[in-house]
Amino acid sequence: MERSFLVLAWIFGGLALLPVVGLAYIIIAPPPDPFGTPGPHILDLMRSPIYLQLAQTTAVLGAVVASGSTILGALFAWVETRFEFYGKKWLLLMSLLPLAVPSYIMAATIGDLFGKNLFPEFINQFSQGFVPASISLVVITTPYTQLTIRAALKSCSAAEEEASILLGATTMERMRLLVWPQVKAPLSFSFLIAFLYAISDFGAVAALDLPVLTWRLYDAVRHQNLATAGLLGS
């Protein structure tokens, strides 16, 4: 049984690596340019200020989304597992509802709201695209982090927490000794999930015309510039 699951895992991993193999082939054997011009070199792209800015924007977007998503997901998971109140099931349902909303629809809606003179005039177009994209992706990815952290909090022993209260442990001591060891790995995993989702997302950044690597990669593929697309994808 274990071997079957291992084979299945390798199959899934192999499917995920197929695009990487295609990108490597394009880099090693780039297709000829129809106009006869020499193709771009990966070192040229790495030194280009434009692509450095794209990479920087992509990394900052991923870090902002992952941080916001992990904080909100942990907050929702903590409230759901540690408090009893009327309508708690509705909290879970509403917090998971963004899973059913495509990121480009969320981004277009939030971008439209932010475009109604909510920003001061000194904020440029880039910031107006970056902020709505960040908010949209935080909303979209929070359910993933919430479910992951919620499962970790559910595994915490209620008996140990009650015993620590009887022994006079403070809230910070209970968090440090009992809760933190259980949730630190899920928190890191949640951050990674949200980060990878943000840097791979295309719908939200396309709806807001935010210049990131995925948007530039799509533009290169659309114009049949496969050599640049392969280098950007790698």
Side-chain angles (χ1 to χ4, degrees):
M1 179 65 70
E2 292 83 358
R3 183 173 298 180
S4 300
F5 280 110
L6 182 60
V7 172
L8 183 62
W10 276 102
I11 291 175
F12 271 84
L15 292 174
L17 290 176
L18 281 178
V20 180
V21 175
L23 293 173
Y25 177 78
I26 291 177
I27 293 174
I28 296 173
D33 188 88
F35 301 100
T37 57
H41 194 273
I42 188 169
L43 295 179
D44 297 331
L45 287 181
M46 292 176 64
R47 289 192 295 261
S48 172
I50 297 176
Y51 294 109
L52 288 176
Q53 182 63 45
L54 290 174
Q56 180 182 354
T57 304
T58 303
V60 172
L61 177 66
V64 170
V65 171
S67 300
S69 174
T70 303
I71 293 173
L72 282 179
L75 177 62
F76 285 143
W78 179 264
V79 170
E80 182 191 352
T81 57
R82 291 299 187 270
F83 296 95
E84 292 294 334
F85 54 91
Y86 178 77
K88 189 172 76 170
K89 293 183 178 180
W90 283 104
L91 170 65
L92 175 62
L93 176 63
M94 297 304 293
S95 61
L96 298 181
L97 195 59
L99 290 174
V101 182
S103 62
Y104 65 91
I105 294 180
M106 181 74 70
T109 303
I110 295 179
D112 183 65
L113 292 176
F114 271 71
K116 298 183 183 299
N117 297 323
L118 296 180
F119 275 148
E121 294 183 0
F122 63 86
I123 298 182
N124 56 28
Q125 184 177 1
F126 170 77
S127 297
Q128 291 183 8
F130 185 87
V131 174
S134 300
I135 296 176
S136 304
L137 291 174
V138 166
V139 174
I140 292 294
T141 56
T142 292
Y144 298 104
T145 61
Q146 177 187 351
L147 291 175
T148 304
I149 301 171
R150 174 177 178 265
L153 290 174
K154 285 282 189 179
S155 66
C156 294
S157 174
E160 291 182 354
E161 292 192 32
E162 292 176 0
S164 66
I165 294 175
L166 294 176
L167 292 173
T170 64
T171 302
M172 292 302 298
E173 290 175 338
R174 296 199 306 271
M175 289 287 294
R176 179 173 57 87
L177 298 175
L178 299 178
V179 179
W180 176 247
Q182 297 290 332
V183 301
K184 62 180 180 179
L187 281 172
S188 302
F189 187 66
S190 299
F191 185 93
L192 179 62
I193 289 177
F195 182 83
L196 294 177
Y197 187 102
I199 65 174
S200 65
D201 179 77
F202 173 75
V205 295
L208 296 168
D209 291 327
L210 181 64
V212 293
L213 286 174
T214 52
W215 178 236
R216 184 64 184 87
L217 174 60
Y218 170 77
D219 189 60
V221 173
R222 183 178 59 177
H223 291 89
Q224 296 297 311
N225 193 350
L226 297 182
T228 301
L231 295 174
L232 284 172
S234 65

